[in-house]
Amino acid sequence: MSNYKIPELNYSYDALEPHIDAKTMEIHHSKHHNTYVGGLNSVLESADSNLQSKSLEELLASINELPDSVQPDINFHGGGTDNHNIFWTNMSPNGGGEPGGSLLDEINRCFGDFASFKEKFTGQATKLRGSGWNWLVCNPKNNNLEIQSMSNQTSPRTLNLVPLLGIDVWEHAYYLNYQNRRPEYIKAWWNVVDWDNVQSRLDKDDC
Ligand code: MN3
């Protein structure tokens, strides 16, 4: 029996203001994320027990081997569940600034320097068409960091990439406060990025 739940946040809904407003955080977490979690529970309820026993990460990594009857829903709702789990922890009221340590070393190695990385990431997040996410990922095949835009709720894990830092650029992530001004939202989001969390994801996966 699968019983995924939205996570508790490590901060209050208004903690990321003025960069991300409380109302957007509340609706995004308690309504939007909750809908993906509910959709995932629903599709797993009717799925084979061998799928129910897999972790969400395992389901996403093996998305292409899943039966057609559940594959699209696990891609969408499972991806939406996992992506938002990462998104909340990628942000902190004490965030912003620049990374250090091995994360900065890897960014410098793969993108030249932090400013070049930030410019490239911002550009891709801005240009992403329609709804989706822009990610900093690690590619375990070559141990390089890459920037990947993903449509809708498709998870980087479905491409066997390790998600490190993601920005949700669905309109529900910013429209209440920024309306159509996605570039302003992206600029503000950098002020709440929790680089310690990104570093811990890099360390954990030893990528
Ligand atoms: Mn969202």
Side-chain angles (χ1 to χ4, degrees):
M1 189 66 193
S2 154
N3 193 20
Y4 286 94
K5 290 185 168 64
I6 52 170
E8 296 267 342
L9 301 187
N10 293 325
Y11 43 80
S12 60
Y13 286 137
D14 64 1
L16 304 182
E17 290 195 347
H19 310 294
I20 301 185
D21 65 287
K23 195 72 185 167
T24 296
M25 286 296 298
E26 181 184 354
I27 295 171
H28 199 174
H29 176 253
S30 69
K31 306 292 185 192
H32 289 279
H33 194 182
N34 199 47
T35 299
Y36 299 116
V37 169
L40 176 61
N41 285 331
S42 173
V43 63
L44 287 176
E45 245 168 57
S46 58
D48 271 15
S49 57
N50 70 316
L51 291 184
Q52 292 171 351
S53 65
K54 288 189 177 189
S55 72
L56 181 52
E57 290 185 19
E58 288 170 332
L59 289 170
L60 293 171
S62 62
I63 195 83
N64 295 319
E65 286 107 62
L66 298 183
D68 291 346
S69 57
V70 298
Q71 193 270 352
D73 281 343
I74 291 180
N75 189 54
F76 187 75
H77 294 292
T81 296
D82 188 57
N83 290 341
H84 288 89
N85 284 343
I86 298 167
F87 185 59
W88 309 128
T89 60
N90 273 169
M91 299 188 290
S92 161
N94 306 313
E98 299 188 6
S102 61
L103 175 60
L104 181 59
D105 293 341
E106 287 301 289
I107 286 174
N108 289 341
R109 183 176 68 80
C110 297
F111 303 102
D113 55 30
F114 179 72
S116 303
F117 156 72
K118 190 173 173 182
E119 186 182 346
K120 187 177 180 195
F121 187 101
T122 297
Q124 279 192 216
T126 304
K127 281 185 286 196
L128 192 156
R129 290 186 174 172
S131 296
W133 292 71
N134 198 58
W135 292 97
L136 172 67
V137 299
C138 180
N139 187 341
K141 283 200 192 106
N142 52 22
N143 285 341
N144 284 338
L145 301 187
E146 299 172 1
I147 299 170
Q148 286 281 345
S149 296
M150 310 287 296
S151 288
N152 297 312
Q153 295 296 350
T154 299
S155 163
R157 299 190 202 279
T158 63
L159 302 178
N160 294 309
L161 300 169
V162 178
L164 301 176
L165 172 67
I167 182 170
D168 186 344
V169 293
W170 282 59
E171 285 184 345
H172 68 231
Y174 61 89
Y175 210 85
L176 281 180
N177 195 35
Y178 295 98
Q179 290 83 48
N180 62 322
R181 303 186 305 278
R182 188 195 288 180
E184 282 184 35
Y185 158 66
I186 297 168
K187 190 177 176 191
W189 170 81
W190 287 111
N191 293 312
V192 295
V193 170
D194 184 350
W195 292 111
D196 290 341
N197 180 263
V198 183
Q199 175 78 60
S200 72
R201 293 179 181 279
L202 183 69
D203 294 344
K204 178 173 151 238
D205 286 290
D206 197 26
C207 198

